[in-house]
Amino acid sequence: MNQYDVAIVGAGPAGMAAAIESARAGLSTIVLDEQPEPGGQIYRAVEAADALRLEILGKDYARGRDLAAEFRSSGAVYLSGATVVNVNPDLEIFYSKAGILTSFSAGALIVATGAIERSTPLPGWTLPGVVTVGACQIMLKANGRVPDNAVLVGSGPLLWLFAAQMIAADMQPRAIVETVPRSRYIAALAKLALNGAAIGYLRKGLQMMRTVRRAGLPVYRDATSISIRGNERAETLCFESGGGHHELPVELVALHQGVVPNQQITRLLRCQHIWNERQRCFAPVLDSYGETSVPGIYVAGDGGGIGGALAAELQGRLAGLRIAEKAGKSIASDPAAIRGELRREATIRPFLETLYAPSSQILAPADDTVVCRCEELTAGQIRAAIDLGAPGPNQVKSFIRPGMGPCQGRMCGLTTTEIIAASKGETPSLVDYYRIRPPLKPLQLGQLAAFSGEKSDRDTIEGGARG
């Protein structure tokens, strides 16, 4: 037999929870994951974390250990180190593992690939010594260390969370440069609806800010006109704040402007997507169980819209339960109760999304700012292609190649849409996004040449999982 009832891509909270529910219902379930251990980015390396690292990263991170243990014992096949490079409409899934390209079929697919950090195109962001806050946090989770003297720049809860975690780890950042305008606080408060979950998030946020204040960390607010200067690497961070110009010598700059759904697989499968104005990104259209406009394809977690780790876990359970119900299996959990928890979890989102909307500087980069890192294309070159008559992202792609490098548009896609929309006076929804084609991730020609085209049977796949 070479078909699984359910294939899940991604082993973060959504993927693990979906696998637990589908396997518990008796469906053959396989989870493909690029990482060596389950957890995704939010629970990265949680199984291996020692007591000190768990204390530094906090109880919200530590709870991932119980979920990972439940997943490990669920009976689902876990294929680590597996990179999905293509999925076709017949739900034949192609993946690369240990340099070998393999394929199999599934009856249903759950895309649990989560979020990616929003691209932050500003002057100097491609210099060595400039990373993202998310990348720094992964270093802390996986290795217990990050470089000293980092300056954190941007907006979003992760900025404050990571600053508090660095302080707890005795690796205090040098400063926070936050881009949130003061007027946003008033606008965000108007969106605040309180319940137990929202109060819990507010309390956690205030605690993080108190930790930063007690540590004496400099915080520059309402920062604009940010640029990073240097010859061979980042040397100086320049910005306006508090009515003055600032220039900070830097060794490491960590940028962050929130996260957006990873929509590569759902775009590849031509699922319908919609523009989310509050989150300023596209997300697939989903029903209340996470099923897309293409039957049999589900999305769980932040890949369907940003909601956080707990929401992702709940969405994963709903998707797993729905597939089991459709297969005529008995289910142990109540979907209505899970949806109620999900609604409570979502209460805080309008407040957070209003307060931490991305800065105008990165949505409309200056002409000489690099937007597509793979092809080294600037915002000015994209605007010039529009002036020459390119009506949308795919035509701009044909003209000058943004989105055709190794990242397949993950870095430049939303910025390109925003630039085109602003230049043409249209909405991002009307402009739309790149058409995604395989391979989703770089693939060696040797792997393609060695691929027989035959689907692998489950014994072969599961032998690879054990090896």
Side-chain angles (χ1 to χ4, degrees):
M1 177 177 272
N2 57 14
Q3 175 163 315
Y4 286 89
D5 296 322
V6 185
I8 299 168
V9 183
M16 289 193 290
I20 290 165
E21 296 297 344
S22 63
R24 182 186 290 164
L27 299 176
S28 58
T29 302
I30 183 169
V31 180
L32 300 103
D33 187 35
E34 289 188 13
Q35 302 305 319
E37 305 290 341
Q41 304 304 346
I42 191 74
Y43 298 137
R44 182 75 166 249
V46 70
E47 292 177 309
D50 58 22
L52 176 59
R53 200 176 305 173
L54 291 175
E55 182 181 343
I56 290 169
L57 292 168
K59 62 181 181 182
D60 288 345
Y61 171 75
R63 75 179 299 279
R65 181 171 281 195
D66 292 337
L67 184 62
E70 188 180 4
F71 167 63
R72 289 281 195 187
S73 62
S74 68
V77 175
Y78 175 54
L79 205 60
S80 63
T83 300
V84 173
V85 295
N86 189 20
V87 183
N88 66 29
D90 296 326
L91 293 191
E92 189 177 4
I93 296 161
F94 299 78
Y95 68 93
S96 170
K97 178 177 169 64
I100 299 173
L101 183 62
T102 307
S103 73
F104 67 92
S105 293
L109 172 69
I110 300 176
V111 180
T113 47
I116 54 179
E117 283 193 278
R118 184 187 298 276
S119 182
T120 54
L122 48 78
W125 74 303
T126 58
L127 283 169
V130 183
V131 295
T132 68
V133 173
C136 288
Q137 194 191 42
I138 286 171
M139 288 174 61
L140 178 60
K141 290 175 178 175
N143 305 309
R145 291 205 58 80
V146 293
D148 294 330
N149 292 320
V151 178
L152 312 184
V153 182
S155 76
L158 182 61
L159 210 69
W160 294 94
L161 172 62
F162 185 59
Q165 289 172 337
M166 288 185 73
I167 292 166
D170 200 22
M171 293 180 282
Q172 180 167 319
R174 181 172 178 188
I176 291 178
V177 178
E178 194 183 50
T179 60
V180 179
R182 294 186 189 282
S183 59
R184 287 255 193 87
Y185 287 90
I186 297 172
L189 283 172
K191 305 284 185 182
L192 187 59
L194 294 177
N195 64 7
I199 290 171
Y201 282 113
L202 289 175
R203 187 179 293 126
K204 181 180 176 183
L206 291 171
Q207 179 59 45
M208 292 187 299
M209 291 180 177
R210 276 197 294 268
T211 299
V212 168
R213 189 169 59 246
R214 281 200 299 266
L217 186 65
V219 178
Y220 299 88
R221 297 186 183 274
D222 198 0
T224 58
S225 304
I226 297 168
S227 64
I228 304 158
R229 298 176 187 169
N231 293 317
E232 300 298 322
R233 58 172 295 112
E235 296 172 358
T236 308
L237 177 71
C238 306
F239 57 94
E240 309 289 331
S241 174
H245 178 75
H246 302 267
E247 295 191 5
L248 301 181
V250 291
E251 297 173 12
L252 180 75
V253 179
L255 302 174
H256 183 73
Q257 289 282 342
V259 296
V260 295
N262 182 350
Q263 53 178 324
Q264 298 300 97
I265 293 180
T266 49
R267 287 279 180 182
L268 176 69
L269 290 166
R270 305 294 182 256
C271 300
Q272 184 182 353
H273 289 71
I274 191 171
W275 177 257
N276 184 321
E277 182 62 29
R278 278 209 322 250
Q279 297 186 355
R280 293 210 72 82
C281 61
F282 289 102
V285 175
L286 307 175
D287 71 8
S288 62
Y289 286 92
E291 190 166 13
T292 68
S293 59
V294 180
I297 299 172
Y298 296 73
V299 177
D302 283 349
I306 305 306
L310 292 179
E313 181 181 332
L314 295 168
Q315 290 165 348
R317 292 191 186 279
L318 281 174
L321 290 170
R322 181 59 169 170
I323 295 170
E325 274 187 327
K326 283 190 171 183
K329 302 288 186 181
S330 297
I331 57 175
S333 305
D334 178 10
I338 294 175
R339 274 196 287 272
E341 290 183 63
L342 200 51
R343 282 192 294 273
R344 286 190 288 277
E345 274 297 307
T347 306
I348 194 68
R349 298 309 306 179
F351 170 79
L352 292 177
E353 290 161 8
T354 302
L355 182 60
Y356 294 124
S359 74
S360 57
Q361 184 180 5
I362 68 155
L363 297 180
D367 275 351
D368 58 353
T369 300
V370 170
V371 169
C372 172
R373 300 178 68 124
C374 298
E375 300 291 334
E376 297 184 344
L377 295 168
T378 65
Q381 288 172 289
I382 292 172
R383 291 185 179 109
I386 300 165
D387 291 342
L388 285 172
N394 293 301
Q395 292 76 22
V396 172
K397 192 175 177 180
S398 298
F399 277 30
I400 56 174
R401 292 181 56 86
M404 293 187 74
C407 86
Q408 285 285 285
R410 277 181 287 271
M411 294 292 287
C412 66
L414 285 176
T415 307
T416 300
T417 292
E418 294 269 12
I419 290 172
I420 296 171
S423 297
K424 294 169 65 70
E426 296 177 349
T427 63
S429 179
L430 186 61
V431 169
D432 210 358
Y433 193 76
Y434 295 139
R435 185 175 297 111
I436 302 301
R437 295 188 172 92
L440 293 165
K441 296 283 180 72
L443 188 63
Q444 295 177 346
L445 284 174
Q447 290 178 264
L448 276 175
F451 181 55
S452 68
E454 297 293 323
K455 286 182 275 193
S456 298
D457 60 37
R458 284 170 48 176
D459 286 342
T460 302
I461 292 170
E462 290 166 26
R466 288 188 290 271

